[in-house]
Amino acid sequence: MDTKVFIMEDSNIDINGINKCGDIIKKGGIVAFPTETVYGLGGNALDSSAVRKIFEAKGRPQDNPLIIHVNNFNIENLVEEVPKVAKELMKRFFPGPLTIILKKKPIVPMETSAGLETIGIRMPDNEIALKLIEESGVPIAAPSANISGKPSPTDVLTCIKDLKGKVEGILGGSSSKVGVESTIIDCTVEPPCVLRPGGITLEQLKEVDNSIYVDPAIMEKPKADFKPKAPGMKYRHYAPKAPVKIIKGDLQKTIEKINEMVQNYIDNNKTVGIIATDETKALYKSGEIISLGSRNNMNDIAKNLFSTLRAFDQIEVDVILSEAFSEEGIGLAIMNRLNKSAGFHIIEI
Ligand code: AMP
Ligand code: MG
């Protein structure tokens, strides 16, 4: 397939490129596009054949639903009812990195919801994404624009790497400013339950409704008989080529442990990637060291996480060792993604 690529900056939009991509979606094609969380791979959410193309291009499991991206608050045509708390969450956090699960109307095909009676709705906080929805004239169903299982793309070059030849269009903007996916909150249950931590923190959600809580299953290694509430919970996710191991505990001891492990790997002719921070990067003796940023700016750590995992794919290290982070605020999303990328391989010290 011939993939048309349009690249621009978020601050300097080329409306012609967005128009062309809108046309592709109108005609039932699929397009990768920037959002503030990660890049998405979108098609007409109401067209089952367009949605099937998304699953095919990504190699995504059939039972993992997509999120519907909208550019206005009129979602009554898509969902049965909008509870008061959902309205308040929309008012406070749309546009932004929050996906709200609601009961879907029959107009939303089962392909989009992957067989569920519910659907996730989100309004991205990105001018290109909002313009693309406007130009296509339909709600856009989109998961992240990566091959299923890999770390999500936060820049256009990564989308091109994963999807060129598999999709009709790739629309590039600036790098994603949040860097981890949206927070998903199920508003079909009382109290509303967070199914995936993301760009909006639990602390922020609790300001709207203090009864909102995080499903405890999301931070644990799934057991053999695990029945996930969100289908995405059960899949291997965000995984670079090399195995990832997280070293968790006192920071000083973590550095000592990582230095010791690196030396062991090197003695066995293996190359090691280290996920470090600005505060610790100078303390590692060898290995390929990438800093996610300062521990004083957890938003930067989130923003750089996926691109760092992808960078180690390029360097082709044999193993990746990572420091752990606090699970407060955006840290919950960071550790959720890191735990999954490591397949919950956590060394507690
Ligand atoms: P992605 O952001 O690429 O992982 O795809 C969207 C994610 O949203 C999926 O992995 C699901 O876990 C979640 N999701 C979407 N729709 C629903 C829904 N109706 N119920 C529960 N989770 C959903
Ligand atoms: Mg994804």
Side-chain angles (χ1 to χ4, degrees), residues 58 60 143-144 146 152 181 196 237-238:
K58 281 182 58 99
R60 185 175 176 95
S144 50
N146 52 285
S152 305
E181 296 84 350
R196 174 173 79 182
H237 256 109
Y238 322 116

Side-chain angles (χ1 to χ4, degrees), residues 34-85:
T35 86
E36 83 282 27
T37 56
V38 301
Y39 273 66
L41 176 59
N44 181 351
L46 306 180
D47 173 355
S48 50
S49 99
V51 169
R52 275 196 296 270
K53 285 187 191 171
I54 297 174
F55 280 88
E56 229 163 82
K58 281 182 58 99
R60 185 175 176 95
Q62 295 291 336
D63 61 349
N64 196 0
L66 310 183
I67 291 168
I68 299 186
H69 293 69
V70 297
N71 67 341
N72 62 63
F73 287 82
N74 305 323
I75 58 170
E76 296 80 16
N77 59 327
L78 301 172
V79 297
E80 287 293 351
E81 56 185 322
V82 186
K84 189 164 158 274
V85 65

Side-chain angles (χ1 to χ4, degrees), residues 6-248:
F6 304 90
I7 297 183
M8 59 196 80
E9 287 294 329
D10 287 0
S11 56
N12 189 12
I13 288 182
D14 161 25
I15 194 67
N16 177 47
I18 300 178
N19 252 320
K20 293 226 165 73
C21 288
D23 278 346
I24 293 173
I25 289 180
K26 240 182 234 162
K27 290 186 187 133
I30 58 175
V31 172
F33 64 98
T35 86
E36 83 282 27
T37 56
V38 301
Y39 273 66
L41 176 59
N44 181 351
L46 306 180
D47 173 355
S48 50
S49 99
V51 169
R52 275 196 296 270
K53 285 187 191 171
I54 297 174
F55 280 88
E56 229 163 82
K58 281 182 58 99
R60 185 175 176 95
Q62 295 291 336
D63 61 349
N64 196 0
L66 310 183
I67 291 168
I68 299 186
H69 293 69
V70 297
N71 67 341
N72 62 63
F73 287 82
N74 305 323
I75 58 170
E76 296 80 16
N77 59 327
L78 301 172
V79 297
E80 287 293 351
E81 56 185 322
V82 186
K84 189 164 158 274
V85 65
K87 281 193 187 123
E88 280 166 18
L89 289 168
M90 286 167 66
K91 205 168 146 204
R92 172 86 190 265
F93 298 114
F94 278 18
L98 182 70
T99 297
I100 300 184
I101 307 281
L102 297 165
K103 285 207 183 71
K104 79 172 192 70
K105 278 199 167 147
I107 190 177
V108 179
M110 280 297 180
E111 280 80 359
T112 306
S113 68
L116 298 175
E117 291 300 332
T118 56
I119 194 73
I121 308 269
R122 179 168 113 78
M123 189 189 290
D125 182 17
N126 176 290
E127 264 316 295
I128 298 175
L130 292 170
K131 269 262 174 288
L132 178 67
I133 303 167
E134 188 185 321
E135 292 297 325
S136 59
V138 291
I140 294 183
S144 50
N146 52 285
I147 297 298
S148 208
K150 293 220 137 292
S152 305
T154 51
D155 60 68
V156 66
L157 290 180
T158 309
C159 292
I160 292 173
K161 204 160 197 280
D162 272 19
L163 296 175
K164 193 164 187 295
K166 295 182 174 161
V167 302
E168 281 89 354
I170 295 178
L171 190 51
S174 308
S175 294
S176 301
K177 63 184 182 202
V178 177
V180 290
E181 296 84 350
S182 59
T183 301
I184 298 182
I185 184 161
D186 186 353
C187 285
T188 68
V189 291
E190 189 59 51
C193 174
V194 174
L195 301 181
R196 174 173 79 182
I200 300 293
T201 65
L202 177 64
E203 293 82 349
Q204 285 173 295
L205 294 171
K206 276 181 167 298
E207 284 170 21
V208 171
D209 179 345
N210 195 38
S211 67
I212 292 172
Y213 71 106
V214 178
D215 186 321
I218 62 170
M219 297 308 280
E220 291 165 12
K221 184 175 180 158
K223 304 198 174 66
D225 60 350
F226 175 59
K227 293 240 172 8
K229 285 192 199 140
M233 285 175 170
K234 70 184 178 199
Y235 294 110
R236 182 154 188 259
H237 256 109
Y238 322 116
K241 287 184 206 144
V244 179
K245 297 178 183 181
I246 302 166
I247 293 77
K248 193 172 178 178

Side-chain angles (χ1 to χ4, degrees), residues 216-276:
I218 62 170
M219 297 308 280
E220 291 165 12
K221 184 175 180 158
K223 304 198 174 66
D225 60 350
F226 175 59
K227 293 240 172 8
K229 285 192 199 140
M233 285 175 170
K234 70 184 178 199
Y235 294 110
R236 182 154 188 259
H237 256 109
Y238 322 116
K241 287 184 206 144
V244 179
K245 297 178 183 181
I246 302 166
I247 293 77
K248 193 172 178 178
D250 172 77
L251 192 53
Q252 194 54 45
K253 291 210 178 91
T254 297
I255 295 159
E256 283 164 26
K257 178 75 179 169
I258 290 179
N259 273 328
E260 182 192 311
M261 289 174 77
V262 172
Q263 193 53 51
N264 253 318
Y265 282 116
I266 290 175
D267 291 346
N268 288 294
N269 292 318
K270 300 245 189 282
T271 54
V272 191
I274 302 174
I275 298 184

